[in-house]
Amino acid sequence: MDYRLDRRQEAFRKEFVSWLEKNLPADFDPSRYRNYHTAEDWGRAYRDFQKRLFQAGYAAMHYPKEYGGQGKTLMEEVIVMQVLASTCMELRGPGMIMHGMAAPTILHCGNEEQKRKYLPGIIDGTHIWCQGFSEPNAGSDVANVSTRAVRKDGHYVVNGQKVWTSVAHMSDYCILLVRTDPNVAKHKGLSYLLLDMKLPGVEVRPTRQITGGSEFNELFLDDVRVPVEMRVGEEGQGWMIAITTLMFERVIGDAVMGAAYEKNMDRMVHMAGETKRAGRPVIEDPIFRQQLAQGYIEVMALKYHGLRNLSTQLQGGIPGPEGSIGKLLWSEPNQRICENGMAMQGPFSQVLSGSPWSIQDGFWQYGFLRSRGNTIEAGTSEVQRNIIGERCLHLPKDSSRAARRIQGGKGDGHQAE
Amino acid sequence: MDIKLSEDQLEIAKHARRFCENESSIEYVRSMFEDERGFTDEVWGKMADMGWMGMRLPEDYGGLGLGLMDLAVVLEEMGRGVAPGPFFSTVLLAGETLMQAAGEEQKSGYLPGIASGEIKGTLALHEPDSGADPGYIQMEAAEDRGGYLLNGTKIAVPDAHVADFLICAARTRKGRRPDRGVTLFLLDARTPGLTIHLLPTMDGTRKLCAVEFQQVRLGPDAIVGEVHKGWKPLLRALQVAQVGLCAECVGGAQRTMEIATEYARVRIQFDQPIGAFQAVKHRCAQMYVEAESARSVLYWAAWAQDHGSPGEAAMAASVAKVYCSEAYRNCATSAIQVLGGTGFSWEHDIHFYLKRAKANETALGDATYHREQVVRLLEGEAKRKRGKKRS
């Protein structure tokens, strides 16, 4: 057992840290939680920075060279991602879904032409991709997707609506889950398409979310003609592709979250030393001390559980449903941590970013609101616990759900239940 | 980076599992639970034959010279089987304290006996006024005619009633800080003036005693390590012992999770297995999350004791003590809820686990104490970082 990086990896990490110190964008201030306030600015900052990473040889470390990667291992990629997460998480924002979902799907399930055509643009910062899975009636029950794709003259004619489509407003492409066959069980009638967002009939409407900002959108598809070559895998394989590719990059996601939250705990220790309660630093209050420690302890659990999974995967282990643990280990603690961060501020906890009275630029206020989404996005906590219960612990499915599935067979599915 | 058990460790785990199923079986646990002594010489001897007592001791003292991770593998299985007896007190409290603090003479006098299973020892640390803070040591060891005179009471001393020797932390210089003026003494359990009372405690798998010292006279040769400087090595030993407790906790959490889910698969109510109800399923899933993540924290903490910096070792030991003991408690209480009325009975084994979980939670500093240690370490780190930036 060994938790250390080997000498080569440690040297690589140091080299990247010093590169990053010199190459952060001039308009990026790491002490602010938000530097880019419009979609245009944020998207541009992401693309410029990704291009810089690519040119310096730090993008997609674990991807094959012929697609724009560096041909190294997952370990190098995790090292880069952890350093970025603890330094400039904001600059990663628009690319998170793309690097975590679109790229691995194309790499693992796409054909040679798709890989050559799309991966380089993802890796060198030219393109941003969004994810079109959720729909008004396909939330936790993602397989209930009803956006219809009808094959005609070498094209799929796509009609429907997607919701919570992150960064669609700055995207060039979208990974789209559509129903190609309404006459089979709902998991079997789905296909996976790559959608060019410039096609006629694609309309994006930003959704204003609980934080007041708009990372997410509604996506309306009206007779959009997607060439058949843009399908990943076979017709009807959409569900399998969507869930299996999710698992491969999960270890990176967990490592990124662990590094980002460790940084947040630093921030919290600093705040607790500076912020006062009854004239004394909050960090002297025994109850806040306990909460601070508990937050840190939970972040350590996330970090070391993530490293253990990463190590398993590096040695050729196949990620399975136990990956749901990581999702629960970052989403739920983050809510508690952000809430404690606000509580330390007393009445200032109501003051948002943008005032000389704001504490840490309103980071904890934003975090508190944003973290409400953590237990909903990427599979709710309830769905994660169903996955663990049924696939790791082999507990039976709910009889009403099991019965519906048996009765359903053909024809069940795409209609809302 | 390589975070998995080695082939050897997996083999050790397999043998330990078999031992705890056959020799230190749950029937043995049940019969020892209400037994005053709490173990049989037969099982103790077989445990010694497995080499467990000396796993971490150097070969020069009859041990195997292995690491804490290897011992943790065994302790995880012992926790899974709520193995009774004075193993923890002898190996992780007395043995580890001697390893960290003692000079050559005491080491060669006691460690081979520990390794072979011939002698048992324990650590007298907590006092009536310490609460859950192991660093609050006020018992007086007054200098007296070239030796020391000890007076006072130690409580929650594990297995003192069966110990051959005790290590006692006492104050040779007045004050509050444990790192100044605390001295460790090694004494025979039959020393005149020593009275050992077995306490009626909840966890019958690990007995606790109150130990009274009345005019106990010890020579200078009883001192373990240096006079006034007992805390530093003791703290290192306690960190190792904490991680040992964490290993037990992970084994217990895993087992209670298994007991609950096995039951949830077969127990039918409202015409379906109760595990099909999400209220029960999610409870089981949460147990799995906590048991698995606690194991991840345990591995880090065990590794850090042998290979990390002193700061990392201290942080990991406190983080793990909080996380693993709470995971075990949550799993044990959840399992009882899943088992329903069955789990409330004496007849079912689950209560042994709950009781051990509660005992481990409070032993060697509770979660409140260790969270405080975590914040102190974080504050120290923050100060260091600020200092670095300035210079």
Side-chain angles (χ1 to χ4, degrees):
Chain A
M1 186 126 7
D2 198 349
Y3 282 80
R4 283 170 294 215
L5 298 177
D6 68 29
R7 205 173 307 151
R8 212 167 32 83
Q9 292 162 344
E10 187 53 42
F12 172 72
R13 197 188 67 84
K14 283 205 180 115
E15 166 204 302
F16 180 60
V17 167
S18 62
W19 177 86
L20 187 60
E21 273 168 14
K22 292 179 222 107
N23 284 279
L24 278 174
D27 60 354
F28 177 79
D29 173 359
S31 73
R32 300 182 66 84
Y33 85 82
R34 204 99 233 225
N35 288 282
Y36 308 106
H37 295 276
T38 65
E40 264 176 7
D41 282 353
W42 199 24
R44 178 197 44 75
Y46 162 76
R47 284 179 220 252
D48 290 351
F49 185 64
Q50 181 67 26
K51 180 158 281 169
R52 219 183 279 194
L53 278 175
F54 170 73
Q55 285 165 348
Y58 293 120
M61 299 305 299
H62 60 317
Y63 275 47
K65 284 195 168 156
E66 61 260 45
Y67 309 127
Q70 295 295 324
K72 298 278 174 12
T73 74
L74 189 58
M75 192 68 228
E76 277 81 10
E77 175 72 1
V78 168
I79 290 169
V80 167
M81 288 299 137
Q82 283 180 323
V83 172
L84 291 174
S86 59
T87 316
C88 53
M89 191 72 163
E90 186 185 1
L91 285 168
R92 303 300 302 152
M96 294 269 279
I97 292 281
M98 169 175 72
H99 293 292
M101 296 190 62
T105 302
I106 294 169
L107 180 69
H108 294 293
C109 305
N111 59 36
E112 194 52 37
E113 197 192 331
Q114 290 166 339
K115 289 187 226 185
R116 289 192 185 277
K117 194 162 172 198
Y118 300 111
L119 289 175
I122 290 177
I123 293 167
D124 69 13
T126 308
H127 296 138
I128 293 177
W129 289 60
C130 58
Q131 175 207 10
F133 283 16
S134 300
E135 295 182 4
N137 286 316
S140 283
D141 188 5
V142 191
N144 203 41
V145 157
S146 62
T147 291
R148 194 69 175 87
V150 178
R151 196 165 170 162
K152 202 176 169 193
D153 311 329
H155 285 78
Y156 288 104
V157 180
V158 181
N159 280 286
Q161 183 196 351
K162 295 286 174 181
V163 293
W164 297 113
T165 315
S166 55
V167 300
H169 55 317
M170 49 179 101
S171 290
D172 307 284
Y173 291 95
C174 176
I175 45 175
L176 195 68
L177 203 55
V178 294
R179 187 160 302 281
T180 39
D181 187 352
N183 298 315
V184 293
K186 66 180 178 183
H187 294 79
K188 293 182 180 153
L190 300 174
S191 297
Y192 203 112
L193 303 182
L194 308 177
L195 169 74
D196 183 340
M197 297 290 280
K198 290 183 295 292
L199 286 176
V202 176
E203 192 197 340
V204 174
R205 290 184 208 160
T207 306
R208 197 167 185 212
Q209 69 221 27
I210 195 168
T211 55
S214 300
E215 297 159 59
F216 297 95
N217 304 270
E218 290 177 291
L219 177 64
F220 293 91
L221 302 158
D222 182 19
D223 279 335
V224 181
R225 286 169 59 82
V226 180
V228 170
E229 310 86 83
M230 298 288 267
R231 189 189 66 229
V232 178
E234 296 303 313
E235 232 175 63
Q237 284 185 341
W239 177 252
M240 278 311 294
I241 292 171
I243 61 168
T244 48
T245 54
L246 250 181
M247 292 179 183
F248 273 96
E249 298 282 309
R250 207 164 222 161
V251 286
I252 299 180
D254 292 350
V256 165
M257 292 306 180
Y261 294 170
E262 203 172 348
K263 165 82 176 176
N264 290 353
M265 294 315 298
D266 267 3
R267 202 177 249 140
M268 186 185 273
V269 171
H270 184 73
M271 173 172 72
E274 305 274 303
T275 309
K276 303 279 171 65
R277 182 178 178 92
R280 304 293 312 161
V282 163
I283 201 156
E284 292 178 12
D285 180 287
I287 293 175
F288 282 120
R289 289 176 80 78
Q290 289 282 310
Q291 292 175 350
L292 179 60
Q294 186 59 30
Y296 182 79
I297 289 164
E298 291 176 15
V299 170
M300 290 300 103
L302 164 65
K303 176 177 173 178
Y304 288 99
H305 188 71
L307 286 180
R308 192 174 143 217
N309 281 344
L310 172 64
S311 173
T312 308
Q313 209 165 313
L314 281 168
Q315 295 178 4
I318 305 284
E322 71 283 353
S324 287
I325 295 177
K327 171 77 210 302
L328 292 166
L329 289 181
W330 66 257
S331 57
E332 297 188 350
N334 191 39
Q335 293 183 339
R336 293 189 282 271
I337 290 166
C338 289
E339 196 159 5
N340 288 335
M342 267 179 78
M344 285 180 184
Q345 301 177 9
F348 289 98
S349 65
Q350 279 295 309
V351 182
L352 303 177
S353 167
S355 154
W357 298 97
S358 312
I359 293 178
Q360 291 190 337
D361 192 33
F363 174 84
W364 299 99
Q365 287 70 13
Y366 173 80
F368 167 76
L369 292 170
R370 183 63 187 80
S371 71
R372 305 325 299 173
N374 293 164
T375 50
I376 300 167
E377 61 201 330
T380 62
S381 288
E382 287 73 17
V383 164
Q384 305 301 340
R385 289 195 171 86
N386 277 345
I387 292 172
I388 292 170
E390 288 164 19
R391 299 186 51 206
C392 301
L393 300 176
H394 309 293
L395 293 169
K397 284 192 194 309
D398 186 329
S399 63
S400 58
R401 262 198 309 150
R404 242 192 340 265
R405 182 155 303 177
I406 292 159
Q407 286 161 9
K410 265 180 95 170
D412 135 88
H414 68 288
Q415 291 97 358
E417 283 167 351
Chain B
M1 202 177 66
D2 171 25
I3 307 173
K4 67 167 184 337
L5 298 179
S6 65
E7 290 298 318
D8 286 349
Q9 286 161 340
L10 290 171
E11 196 62 19
I12 293 171
K14 209 169 76 187
H15 285 110
R17 169 93 42 113
R18 202 174 301 145
F19 185 89
C20 291
E21 282 170 1
N22 301 327
E23 305 296 340
S24 176
S25 65
I26 201 75
E27 292 74 28
Y28 173 70
V29 174
R30 185 168 284 275
S31 68
M32 289 299 109
F33 197 85
E34 291 181 280
D35 177 86
E36 198 167 279
R37 207 157 161 260
F39 69 104
T40 66
D41 290 330
E42 191 201 341
V43 174
W44 181 259
K46 284 182 180 169
M47 245 181 218
D49 292 343
M50 301 285 286
W52 291 357
M53 277 72 159
M55 280 183 84
R56 235 174 100 73
L57 298 177
E59 290 173 42
D60 290 350
Y61 303 115
L64 299 173
L66 298 173
L68 183 55
M69 187 65 72
D70 305 289
L71 180 56
V73 164
V74 170
L75 285 163
E76 190 179 326
E77 292 302 325
M78 290 176 88
R80 180 187 174 87
V82 269
F87 184 85
F88 182 76
S89 45
T90 298
V91 174
L92 281 144
L93 294 178
E96 195 62 34
T97 305
L98 287 173
M99 273 302 295
Q100 298 289 346
E104 187 47 40
E105 201 170 312
Q106 285 167 333
K107 280 188 187 168
S108 48
Y110 285 85
L111 295 180
I114 289 178
S116 66
E118 279 160 78
I119 56 171
K120 300 171 201 74
T122 189
L123 175 71
L125 178 63
H126 284 279
E127 299 177 7
D129 291 344
S130 324
D133 185 341
Y136 186 85
I137 298 162
Q138 289 297 317
M139 192 174 112
E140 198 187 12
E143 276 187 68
D144 178 70
R145 286 181 281 160
Y148 294 88
L149 206 54
L150 276 66
N151 277 294
T153 305
K154 292 286 184 179
I155 59 148
V157 184
D159 306 308
H161 67 309
V162 295
D164 300 295
F165 73 96
L166 287 81
I167 296 169
C168 176
R171 204 159 261 295
T172 38
R173 194 186 279 162
K174 284 202 189 328
R176 281 289 303 272
R177 292 182 54 164
D179 53 346
R180 289 180 194 165
V182 167
T183 304
L184 303 174
F185 294 93
L186 190 156
L187 63 159
D188 193 281
R190 289 153 304 185
T191 306
L194 202 64
T195 322
I196 295 169
H197 310 270
L198 182 63
L199 300 170
T201 47
M202 184 185 283
D203 174 19
T205 66
R206 183 169 292 147
K207 317 291 184 189
L208 297 179
C209 301
V211 180
E212 285 184 281
F213 292 73
Q214 281 174 314
Q215 300 289 96
V216 173
R217 195 175 296 279
L218 298 175
D221 57 335
I223 292 173
V224 184
E226 284 182 73
V227 74
H228 306 318
K229 290 181 182 167
W231 178 249
K232 208 175 159 198
L234 178 60
L235 187 62
R236 282 291 301 131
L238 290 176
Q239 284 166 5
V240 169
Q242 270 159 236
V243 175
L245 280 183
C246 292
E248 283 188 9
C249 288
V250 168
Q254 174 75 28
R255 185 67 195 127
T256 48
M257 182 270 287
E258 288 172 8
I259 291 171
T261 48
E262 280 158 21
Y263 186 79
R265 267 182 238 130
V266 297
R267 168 72 174 169
I268 309 283
Q269 289 285 278
F270 305 102
D271 307 319
Q272 66 174 4
I274 59 170
F277 294 108
Q278 288 187 339
V280 175
K281 182 178 290 169
H282 288 188
R283 198 181 264 285
C284 293
Q286 184 60 23
M287 292 165 76
Y288 181 77
V289 170
E290 294 194 33
E292 270 303 315
S293 53
R295 182 172 286 115
S296 299
V297 173
L298 163 70
Y299 286 174
W300 167 50
W303 175 84
Q305 298 314 306
D306 286 344
H307 307 285
S309 68
E312 185 179 14
M315 179 62 98
S318 280
V319 165
K321 180 62 179 35
V322 175
Y323 198 82
C324 299
S325 67
E326 296 199 332
Y328 187 12
R329 187 226 21 230
N330 293 343
C331 286
T333 51
S334 262
I336 289 174
Q337 185 67 21
V338 170
L339 291 166
T342 309
F344 188 67
S345 73
W346 190 273
E347 203 186 333
H348 198 281
D349 302 327
I350 198 77
H351 70 104
F352 301 137
Y353 291 90
L354 175 71
K355 291 166 184 175
R356 172 67 73 79
K358 292 306 290 179
N360 281 3
E361 222 184 313
T362 180
L364 305 184
D366 62 5
T368 307
Y369 170 81
H370 284 293
R371 282 190 205 104
E372 176 61 28
Q373 304 312 307
V374 167
V375 178
R376 287 182 192 187
L377 290 163
L378 284 175
E379 283 177 301
E381 214 170 279
K383 259 185 214 144
R384 262 199 310 283
K385 271 188 202 159
R386 274 203 302 277
K388 242 190 208 167
K389 264 182 204 158
R390 245 180 247 131
S391 60

